[in-house]
Amino acid sequence: MPELPEIETIRRQLAPALEGRRVERLEVLDARWCEPAPPQALEDALRGRTIERLWRRGKYLIVSLEDDVHLVMHLRMTGNLLLVDNAGDPPHLRARIALDDGRRLLFVDVRRFGTGVVLLGSDALAEYFASRLGVEPLSPDFTRDALGALARGRKQPVKAFLLNQERVAGVGNIYADEALFRARIHPLCPVGKLKRAQIEDLRDSVIETLNAGIDAKGASIDDFRHVDGARGSFQERFLVHDREGEPCFRCGTPIRKLRAAGRGTYVCEHCQPRPRVRRAAPR
Ligand SMILES: [Zn+2]
């Protein structure tokens, strides 16, 4: 599933091509993409409007158009956005936006979990995100104190905590593993038990990992592609993720795969010591 760096990569590639262009028309080819809203409602809202800004919040991409109209897209598992100047349609096309320069933006999605939502007005947009997303990790709001406040008192394992979009927005399975390795924190550590210095390391590691992913233009281990169909290269730089049995770059210990938060999780149990389990009863 694309995470923050993959979405940011798409945003950077698309923004210069979209901003300032007018939408001639949107066609929703798969009503599931925008349900429960009828496709016609989205098509009417976008038609003829100029795109002012393409931006990102967590893993969402937002096309903000004139008159405070916003198209919010989420790629979910297998969604991709392609910018094309030819007329042919690729398979699994769910929605198509025709721009006034003759180019077309295509939302392609094999598994059909991707979504498009139109929100009218900044208040509706703010409300939509307020109920779904926590702190934006590449914003100035993501401080040690902010992360510490979110973690305080929680027994949840730190990996599950990082994957929860309502706490920290945009971090998924890959970047959580990589950030925890950098911070030398075991994925099963209860997040509320982390020391102040560990919280600081975790914050720094999340930022470093996300920026490394953006520098590599994302990771293409499954369906993620750039807007021109090219692949990202972050998968070639993974420190632990997807490296089961291979030596840790830091200490040589074989990387282990375990399950945390229901997800395949990669860890060096030398660099990231397991949390001590408190005994049930005294000896
Ligand atoms: Zn190690």
Side-chain angles (χ1 to χ4, degrees), residues 74-90:
H74 199 300
L75 301 181
R76 299 291 169 196
M77 303 286 287
T78 57
N80 270 315
L81 281 166
L82 301 173
L83 185 67
V84 298
D85 46 21
N86 57 5
D89 283 336

Side-chain angles (χ1 to χ4, degrees), residues 2 7 49 59 79 100 130 143 161 177 184 190 212-213 246 255 264 274:
I7 303 303
R49 289 210 157 90
K59 303 181 198 174
D100 62 349
T143 60
F161 171 87
D177 283 0
R184 299 175 183 252
E246 293 176 43
I255 302 299
R274 267 192 182 252

Side-chain angles (χ1 to χ4, degrees), residues 109-127:
D109 189 358
V110 176
R111 294 187 61 184
R112 302 174 63 210
F113 292 118
T115 54
V117 175
V118 163
L119 295 166
L120 304 177
S122 305
D123 290 349
L125 187 64
E127 201 174 297

Side-chain angles (χ1 to χ4, degrees), residues 124-137:
L125 187 64
E127 201 174 297
Y128 186 82
F129 288 136
S131 62
R132 289 171 173 80
L133 296 179
V135 62
E136 186 66 34

Side-chain angles (χ1 to χ4, degrees), residues 221-232:
I221 50 167
D222 38 39
D223 297 271
F224 170 69
R225 294 292 181 274
H226 297 162
V227 299
D228 59 359
R231 294 164 62 91

